[in-house]
Amino acid sequence: MLYETLVGEARGRDALDDVRPDALERIPADAPWAAALRGRVEAGRTSELAGLVRHLAALSSPRPTQKWRRTCLDLVAAAKADELVAATLRDLAEGESLCTRDHGAHTAWIGGDYHYHYVVHSSDTDLARGAVWAAALTSGPDAVRHLGVLALRVSGAERGVIEDLKLSGAAINALADTGAPASLEELWRLQAKIKHRALRKQLDTALTTAAGKQGITPQQLVERSVPRHGLGQDSALESELGEHRIRIAIEDATTVRLTFTRPDGTTARTAPPAVKDGFPEELKALKAYAKELRGTLASERARVEGLLSTDRVWPYEEWCRHYREHPVTGVLVRGLIWEFRDGTGEWRAAAPGTVPEGGTAAHVRLWHPIRAEADEVRAWRERLMADRLRQPFKQAFREIYLLTPAEERTRLYSNRFAAHIVHYQQLYALFKVRGWQSNYLSGHDGGYEGIARAEFGDGAWRALFHHEPAVDDFRYSPEHAATDQVRFERRSGRQWREAPLDEVPAPVFSEAMRDVDLFVGVTSIAADPQWTDRGEARYTDYWRTATFGALTATAEIRREALERIVPRLRKLADRCTFEGRFLVVRGDLATYKIHLGSANILMEPDDAYLCIVPAARPPRTSGPVFLPFEDERLSLILSKALMLAADTKITDGTILRQIERGAR
């Protein structure tokens, strides 16, 4: 018996001697995240742990197979390595990183020194990815927070940290696989912060996977995983630091406010010295909390606005729970018009902040003017003006885009916004702001044809906006681009199929065309009042045609708003009239025509151009002037009208000389 025991131990030592060197070669010697793992292998007495390391390093795909998972669980159990893999995940998420300056990788200027940091060297990504999955499989809900931190840390979203898409993708997929309710909130948080296109696709897949595990749709999953941030029903959180009380509250659709209450009851919006000096770390944490809350509010605002392109209908109780009563989403919901349907099957719209007739309903949907009669839309717009209600985003005053006869003839594409000359860098930046994905125009292969894409209708439809360099003679990227067709595709499984325009649902078509109108209206050179003074003759004909051309749907809405605002302003009411595409302002020195699209100005009687360059930040009207929606050009038109109506008070010599010449 003793002989057999000694022989067994000798064989075990021989096996360990065979596998341990191979396992150690797979663990980086200088990586902080792998220190615990390497130490255990070096001190190990069995071959199971070394075998686990080899198994982890063999994972080369974003999602492991079922066979790999079963083997992993067996090896972790045999090596008693549950805590070890959990600690490795924690070190990956929160441990030290390595400086590229010391390890020969590429460098960049960060914080006064040439370096970037990486969490895992590219040669060790497979091992790290295996450790991530091992921790997720064995720790379950306890791994959720660290998986979320790691996914964001190496996604490229954090300044100074080199992205590792494989590792970030593994953490995202593992989050969805845990099945833990908390993983939904982490995935939602990541969706708001990660911008990389490939990772966002993985996030979409992960959300679908997580939804399937809970028996709900991805859309239901997203709305159920919106963080509450510990807020009360008043959308506020209060805490105390010494003798001071701090309140963090969502005040409206765009504002999160910190308020500090002193011992004497007075308040301040900046931290008093006693808080700054006595509680610096706690104050830092509160500011970080407020920043994250602002991010959630902005993301929810964009998500709820995106519902306008869908036909979503909610059971009333579900809508109350996840929308009206949510401390973040509810702030937005209470500023919008919703439709309620009872047992009769008829939809009835209710004013912002009110409940349906009778206090309950069977179903709820978000009101869209494209489904309403013209009289109803006008009534809602007048009510918002009368009650001075500004909605979280344009809803009652939302532009409507219907299929035109020309688009019915072209059938597969729209030329409504083609042939415009736009500032390309501004256009590309605006794509990102509105959530469109686009390749970058450049002199490289494939850089001469731009296609911006965005999904609508809960991902069932996709719009494509074609554009290209305005000229061929550019070096790196074009200064100007020329716009082209808008096309639509329908999702078919994992593929996209081109669809005729008349098959696109009206809300999808309208919302997509609204975005394209925004892109062109904001970035077109026609909106540049100084264009003709630059001596660039190449696009002068386009500028002259577009800057005073027919009004787009956005400009038509602007006109309708101004028709309600101007009569209410004492300084403008008897000096302004509307003529076609212009707001006509009668000054004492001349009469002016402000184009309602570009905000550029002509002077009567000969339509002489008057160049007035706005400040770097467009002026904001304040005081008694109520604007029903946020629109910089609306504010600009009003500010120009107020100035020109009192033109005898203008002191700017450049403007006065132009008026004098025009008056002659």
Side-chain angles (χ1 to χ4, degrees):
M1 185 68 177
L2 178 61
Y3 171 78
E4 292 176 351
T5 301
L6 292 174
V7 169
E9 290 180 354
R11 288 176 177 170
R13 285 193 298 272
D14 290 341
L16 184 58
D17 290 339
D18 289 339
V19 299
R20 188 164 59 187
D22 178 57
L24 286 174
E25 288 180 1
R26 300 171 186 268
I27 306 175
D30 56 355
W33 67 270
L37 189 62
R38 186 176 182 87
R40 280 283 296 274
V41 172
E42 289 177 334
R45 292 178 176 273
T46 65
S47 61
E48 284 83 2
L49 186 57
L52 173 62
V53 171
R54 290 193 300 178
H55 183 70
L56 299 181
L59 180 59
S60 58
S61 60
R63 296 179 60 84
T65 64
Q66 291 300 321
K67 180 180 179 180
W68 188 96
R69 299 179 192 216
R70 289 193 296 270
T71 303
C72 181
L73 289 171
D74 291 342
L75 289 171
V76 170
K80 298 180 181 179
D82 302 64
E83 294 182 4
L84 178 61
V85 293
T88 301
L89 172 60
R90 183 178 63 249
D91 290 340
L92 282 166
E94 301 176 346
E96 297 180 11
S97 56
L98 293 171
C99 179
T100 60
R101 179 182 52 195
D102 301 325
H103 295 271
H106 64 281
T107 60
W109 180 256
I110 295 291
D113 198 359
Y114 278 103
H115 65 279
Y116 260 117
H117 287 81
Y118 63 85
V119 177
V120 176
H121 193 276
S122 58
S123 60
D124 305 317
T125 296
D126 286 348
L127 175 62
R129 185 162 47 183
V132 164
W133 272 101
L137 291 170
T138 56
S139 300
D142 294 335
V144 166
R145 186 176 70 85
H146 292 123
L147 288 170
V149 171
L150 176 61
L152 181 63
R153 185 183 189 188
V154 296
S155 69
E158 291 196 0
R159 184 173 181 267
V161 179
I162 295 175
E163 67 181 24
D164 187 333
L165 302 185
K166 289 184 178 181
L167 188 56
S168 182
I172 289 170
N173 289 322
L175 263 174
D177 215 68
T178 62
S183 66
L184 304 182
E185 185 168 328
E186 280 296 325
L187 287 169
W188 193 94
R189 184 177 68 89
L190 292 174
Q191 193 176 49
K193 293 185 176 183
I194 291 178
K195 305 302 180 185
H196 195 284
R197 184 176 181 181
L199 291 179
R200 290 190 67 83
K201 287 185 176 180
Q202 292 193 53
L203 278 167
D204 291 342
T205 301
L207 284 167
T208 301
T209 300
K213 285 181 173 292
Q214 298 200 17
I216 57 178
T217 66
Q219 292 77 27
Q220 288 176 310
L221 181 142
V222 170
E223 62 196 21
R224 294 180 186 191
S225 58
V226 179
R228 303 178 73 89
H229 293 286
L231 298 172
Q233 285 302 309
D234 59 351
S235 302
L237 177 70
E238 294 191 1
S239 61
E240 293 185 357
L241 292 179
E243 297 181 340
H244 290 76
R245 189 170 72 254
I246 295 89
R247 175 182 172 87
I248 303 176
I250 302 176
E251 293 191 351
D252 55 43
T254 59
T255 307
V256 174
R257 187 86 67 191
L258 272 77
T259 305
F260 300 85
T261 303
R262 303 183 185 92
D264 62 2
T266 60
T267 61
R269 291 184 177 178
T270 58
V275 174
K276 289 182 180 179
D277 299 337
F279 306 92
E281 293 302 317
E282 292 85 348
L283 179 60
K284 182 179 179 181
L286 284 173
K287 289 183 177 180
Y289 168 87
K291 181 179 180 181
E292 187 167 350
L293 182 56
R294 290 187 187 99
T296 299
L297 181 62
S299 297
E300 271 298 86
R301 182 184 178 190
R303 184 184 72 83
V304 175
E305 185 176 12
L307 294 172
L308 286 167
S309 73
T310 73
D311 290 321
R312 292 281 303 280
V313 174
W314 294 265
Y316 180 71
E317 295 300 328
E318 182 179 318
W319 174 81
C320 288
R321 184 165 58 255
H322 300 298
Y323 282 82
R324 193 178 69 183
E325 296 170 3
H326 193 283
V328 179
T329 313
V331 174
L332 307 171
V333 166
R334 290 187 286 275
L336 297 170
I337 304 167
W338 295 84
E339 291 183 282
F340 301 90
R341 182 173 63 189
D342 55 20
T344 65
E346 183 179 353
W347 289 101
R348 291 186 176 87
T354 62
V355 296
E357 295 180 12
T360 186
H363 296 96
V364 187
R365 71 180 182 186
L366 187 58
W367 182 87
H368 195 302
I370 205 167
R371 289 194 297 261
E373 297 293 333
D375 289 343
E376 180 186 356
V377 174
R378 282 193 291 269
W380 279 119
R381 291 173 179 174
E382 188 58 41
R383 179 165 182 172
L384 292 185
M385 290 294 302
D387 295 343
R388 298 176 68 86
L389 295 177
R390 177 180 250 194
Q391 297 188 284
F393 47 80
K394 273 189 184 179
Q395 186 192 25
F397 281 90
R398 203 166 191 84
E399 302 85 351
I400 296 174
Y401 300 80
L402 302 175
L403 208 61
T404 65
E407 288 162 343
E408 291 175 349
R409 289 192 296 271
T410 56
R411 189 170 174 270
L412 291 175
Y413 61 89
S414 167
N415 277 328
R416 189 184 306 200
F417 299 107
H420 286 273
I421 305 299
V422 299
H423 294 285
Y424 177 61
Q425 300 302 326
Q426 190 180 9
L427 176 69
Y428 187 75
L430 197 52
F431 286 154
K432 293 183 178 181
V433 171
R434 293 296 298 175
W436 287 60
Q437 303 290 332
S438 179
N439 61 308
Y440 187 73
L441 295 181
S442 67
H444 300 93
D445 290 343
Y448 284 85
E449 181 181 357
I451 304 178
R453 299 175 174 87
E455 294 181 11
F456 295 88
D458 277 337
W461 293 88
R462 185 167 73 172
L464 293 80
F465 178 34
H466 294 257
H467 53 284
E468 60 188 15
V471 295
D472 295 330
D473 55 339
F474 62 91
R475 187 172 182 182
Y476 299 112
S477 63
E479 182 179 358
H480 299 104
T483 62
D484 206 337
Q485 301 173 355
V486 177
R487 292 175 176 263
F488 287 84
E489 295 176 335
R490 179 193 287 111
R491 187 184 292 277
S492 177
R494 295 188 176 183
Q495 303 296 320
W496 291 97
R497 308 292 185 191
E498 189 169 46
L501 299 183
D502 59 4
E503 294 182 8
V504 181
V508 170
F509 182 83
S510 186
E511 290 300 304
M513 298 300 277
R514 179 180 184 271
D515 271 2
V516 178
D517 190 356
L518 173 69
F519 298 151
V520 173
V522 170
T523 66
S524 171
I525 65 171
D528 186 344
Q530 291 181 290
W531 183 263
T532 54
D533 295 331
R534 294 182 179 180
E536 298 183 43
R538 178 178 281 169
Y539 307 123
T540 299
D541 289 342
Y542 163 77
W543 184 88
R544 287 175 177 166
T545 301
T547 196
F548 297 111
L551 299 183
T552 64
T554 298
E556 292 284 2
I557 290 293
R558 192 176 296 130
R559 174 187 171 122
E560 186 173 341
L562 284 167
E563 287 175 335
R564 288 177 165 85
I565 295 170
V566 168
R568 290 175 163 88
L569 300 180
R570 179 177 54 83
K571 294 180 180 180
L572 294 181
D574 61 349
R575 284 185 172 264
C576 292
T577 57
F578 291 88
E579 296 181 8
R581 63 194 70 164
F582 295 96
L583 172 63
V584 180
V585 182
R586 180 176 53 81
D588 292 319
L589 302 179
T591 298
Y592 314 90
K593 300 193 300 184
I594 306 176
H595 191 261
L596 298 171
S598 66
N600 288 332
I601 306 167
L602 297 175
M603 292 185 288
E604 293 185 348
D606 299 325
D607 285 348
Y609 178 60
L610 173 60
C611 179
I612 297 180
V613 182
R617 177 172 294 180
R620 283 181 146 188
T621 54
S622 58
V625 182
F626 168 72
L627 302 183
F629 51 83
E630 186 176 344
D631 182 352
E632 289 185 355
R633 204 158 298 172
L634 175 63
S635 300
L636 182 60
I637 290 171
L638 279 173
S639 66
K640 286 183 176 182
L642 288 166
M643 180 179 68
L644 295 173
D647 53 6
T648 55
K649 297 181 180 180
I650 296 174
T651 58
D652 188 302
T654 303
I655 297 176
L656 287 174
R657 284 191 294 272
Q658 292 182 78
I659 293 175
E660 184 180 351
R661 287 196 299 268
R664 289 175 185 172

